[in-house]
Amino acid sequence: MNCRDVQRYVHAFIDGELEPQQALTVESHLESCTECSHAVAFERWFKGELRRSVGPALAPTELPDRIRVALGRAERRDQVRVLLPKAGGFAALATGVAAALLLPGWLTPAAGGPRRDSPRPIIDCVAERHAHVLPVEVTGPDAGSVSQWFQDKVDFAVNPPAFGNGQVQLVGGRISPVGDRQAAHLLYEHRGRRVTVVVFDGSGMVLSGAHAERVGPRTVYYGESRGYPVAVWQQGGLAYAASSDLPQSDFVRLVSSVQ
Amino acid sequence: MVWGRANRRRKDFEKASLEHLDSLYGMAVRLTRDERDAEDLVQDTYVRALRFQDRFEPGTNMRAWLLRILTNTFINRYRRRQKERQLADQLEAGPDQEALLSTHAQAQLRDPEKQLQIGILREELARAVDELPDEFRVAVVLADVYGFSYKEIASVLDCPIGTVMSRLHRARRALQARLMDQAIAAGLVSRHPSAELDSERAADLAAYRRRRGGAA
């Protein structure tokens, strides 16, 4: 190794980026070459000088609090992210549909885990709600009276969806929020199995990433959380999210039969 | 409830990540060159990091991970201005100046008796760092202030390691030249007897290109 080589590698050398063998060669050259050894010492000195002049700064004292607030806000926003208008939503929606077309067999976990923009929070939220058996505040099975009960409680019309086969009974309903939106929580029963449907204002909602299926005029997004199948769809500006104890195939059939 | 679990997760994240606040802020100041922008950048970084926290591998260097997010956020969001781009092109395309400063000049700068005075030039040096084009500034600051490996810098800048090396090399050379100029201006270092080398260094890019163009 000559002086030129050392000069070429001097930065990698002082940064500890040379292979041990290369570093040894440089060192042995430095022992016999005063000029290069000065050059290396200079580079080391300069590196230190840089660090001393550009060292880490002290963050303003109020910054940690500001960040805590921002994180709290971000978290709440993320929980209902799927509800908020989002730039590029249409593209994401198209991707979701395409993915469903490409991946037959819904509920197959997408490669690489849940996508950031998949409607996870809603799916989790609904499955969670379904898992806990909550008392109803208004009882069915008359959809009309249930609908009426909600009238002065939420600012949208709650029309409990009817499932096609007529064997699903509306047990009742209660109020419970989804994220920061008010929502109507409806409970059904089908052959002793519970079906939960949560209805809320779906304006601006973007659904994407989940497995989607066309059912008549609607696109239904399927997911799974806590071992419960979940379906999400939109109708008349409202969002419907359903979960159930039913086996997946029965649940899909049930959701497909929504009128 | 989902909310409660997420809340705890956030608190844990907050605690672990805020330990690196000074590092992040320091880097942000270097990148944005503005304290208010730096605060915004740091805040954005934390929010993004929270969102991507499942991509962080526990047990690995969290500071490096956060700094990477910060730098990426900066590069993506605060697009380079035209002027900087030109500067970057110049540094990329310029001659690869080796042995920029003469041994004599180097020795003068490192003279233990002059360190107090040279220290005064640190502010100038910091300013010179601020004036480097983004890619060069990022490379130098990550390497020299935050001790990143070339590989880590390459992953932050999304470029080959060779590019990192050449950027570091050029950035340091440019900074050294600047320091030397300042030291000379401050009368701390004499040009003699290395005037030849110094004037060669001073030869500007245009002249270099003319020479090269003429030879081609």
Side-chain angles (χ1 to χ4, degrees):
Chain A
M1 186 169 281
N2 57 29
C3 297
R4 235 190 128 67
D5 293 333
V6 171
Q7 281 176 3
R8 187 177 314 146
Y9 295 124
V10 65
H11 287 142
F13 178 68
I14 62 157
D15 290 335
E17 293 276 348
L18 287 186
E19 296 294 328
Q21 194 52 50
Q22 289 175 297
L24 274 178
T25 322
V26 172
E27 273 161 28
S28 71
H29 174 89
L30 294 182
E31 274 169 29
S32 60
C33 177
T34 326
E35 200 168 321
C36 284
S37 126
H38 279 148
V40 165
F42 173 76
E43 294 293 349
R44 283 221 170 94
W45 168 83
F46 184 75
K47 190 176 161 83
E49 200 61 19
L50 256 181
R51 187 168 47 242
R52 284 184 285 276
S53 52
V54 190
L58 273 185
T61 47
E62 74 286 356
L63 192 54
D65 279 338
R66 184 180 153 185
I67 285 165
R68 283 191 195 97
V69 170
L71 289 179
R73 211 184 308 129
E75 182 187 67
R76 283 192 294 281
R77 200 169 50 226
D78 279 359
Q79 294 286 359
V80 290
R81 175 128 73 134
V82 67
L83 302 177
L84 296 170
K86 196 173 138 199
F90 287 113
L93 184 68
T95 313
V97 174
L101 291 175
L102 290 170
L103 292 168
W106 62 285
L107 298 184
T108 315
R115 286 173 36 155
R116 300 305 308 183
D117 51 357
S118 71
R120 253 307 145 194
I122 291 302
I123 286 172
D124 289 344
C125 201
V126 172
E128 186 106 39
R129 206 158 300 188
H130 178 73
H132 295 116
V133 182
L134 299 168
V136 294
E137 295 174 78
V138 56
T139 46
D142 179 36
S145 57
V146 171
S147 172
Q148 201 170 13
W149 182 83
F150 278 109
Q151 248 170 33
D152 55 348
K153 297 181 180 65
V154 295
D155 50 16
F156 51 89
V158 179
N159 294 307
F163 295 94
N165 57 18
Q167 289 177 306
V168 183
Q169 243 194 9
L170 178 61
V171 176
R174 58 176 289 128
I175 298 284
S176 63
V178 168
D180 55 358
R181 299 191 184 197
Q182 35 173 242
H185 178 136
L186 303 167
L187 184 64
Y188 295 80
E189 223 169 63
H190 178 53
R191 293 182 195 150
R193 311 272 193 139
R194 294 179 307 120
V195 179
T196 297
V197 178
V198 179
V199 189
F200 51 93
D201 178 7
S203 57
M205 181 162 88
V206 173
L207 284 165
S208 64
H211 297 277
E213 211 168 84
R214 290 296 295 182
V215 180
R218 294 192 307 267
T219 301
V220 180
Y221 292 82
Y222 289 106
E224 190 185 27
S225 179
R226 305 187 143 233
Y228 294 117
V230 177
V232 185
W233 69 93
Q234 282 176 289
Q235 200 172 356
L238 295 178
Y240 294 79
S243 186
S244 173
D245 306 345
L246 289 165
Q248 289 172 0
S249 51
D250 291 351
F251 179 67
V252 174
R253 211 169 305 130
L254 196 77
V255 170
S256 308
S257 75
V258 169
Q259 289 160 348
Chain B
M1 280 299 287
V2 157
W3 316 112
R5 205 169 54 226
N7 192 48
R8 211 163 40 247
R9 222 163 99 86
R10 166 170 62 85
K11 292 278 184 215
D12 290 346
F13 168 79
E14 229 172 66
K15 195 163 170 285
S17 61
L18 279 176
E19 277 180 32
H20 307 291
L21 182 61
D22 287 344
S23 290
L24 292 184
Y25 179 72
M27 183 70 185
V29 168
R30 266 337 5 130
L31 290 178
T32 60
R33 311 176 184 106
D34 180 280
E35 287 174 7
R36 289 187 61 164
D37 287 351
E39 287 188 40
D40 290 346
L41 176 59
V42 170
Q43 181 180 322
D44 289 353
T45 301
Y46 273 93
V47 170
R48 283 174 65 101
L50 174 73
R51 216 157 261 165
F52 297 135
Q53 64 172 310
D54 47 0
R55 295 192 197 164
F56 173 69
E57 291 172 38
T60 60
N61 186 343
M62 188 179 221
R63 189 177 80 142
W65 180 71
L66 289 168
L67 282 166
R68 186 161 44 215
I69 295 177
L70 181 128
T71 308
N72 286 333
T73 307
F74 170 78
I75 290 171
N76 293 337
R77 177 128 357 131
Y78 306 77
R79 293 263 71 167
R80 289 195 306 249
R81 275 160 285 166
Q82 187 60 28
K83 194 174 130 204
E84 283 179 327
R85 177 174 279 287
Q86 282 168 358
L87 253 172
D89 290 345
Q90 276 186 20
L91 267 180
E92 301 266 25
D96 187 2
Q97 299 152 316
E98 288 173 12
L100 196 61
L101 301 183
S102 67
T103 309
H104 175 75
Q106 291 177 0
Q108 287 192 87
L109 282 173
R110 281 203 307 127
D111 183 350
E113 286 178 17
K114 283 189 182 148
Q115 286 317 291
L116 201 64
Q117 293 144 296
I118 296 287
I120 297 166
L121 297 178
R122 277 184 203 143
E123 225 169 282
E124 293 293 334
L125 192 54
R127 204 165 305 145
V129 170
D130 283 353
E131 285 170 15
L132 286 173
D134 291 346
E135 294 89 339
F136 293 83
R137 196 163 71 249
V138 168
V140 150
V141 174
L142 286 182
D144 291 346
V145 182
Y146 294 94
F148 272 45
S149 69
Y150 290 0
K151 201 176 149 195
E152 285 174 312
I153 300 172
S155 103
V156 167
L157 290 174
D158 194 21
C159 67
I161 287 181
T163 309
V164 172
M165 292 174 76
S166 106
R167 282 181 187 164
L168 271 179
H169 186 81
R170 284 155 192 269
R172 284 169 178 167
R173 290 285 184 251
L175 292 172
Q176 287 164 3
R178 178 79 176 263
L179 183 69
M180 186 64 187
D181 289 344
Q182 300 289 348
I184 290 169
L188 297 172
V189 174
S190 69
R191 210 174 266 279
H192 186 76
S194 53
E196 246 174 74
L197 268 168
D198 282 337
S199 67
E200 190 177 319
R201 166 182 57 67
D204 67 8
L205 180 72
Y208 168 80
R209 285 202 172 130
R210 267 200 305 280
R211 274 207 308 278
R212 208 173 47 169

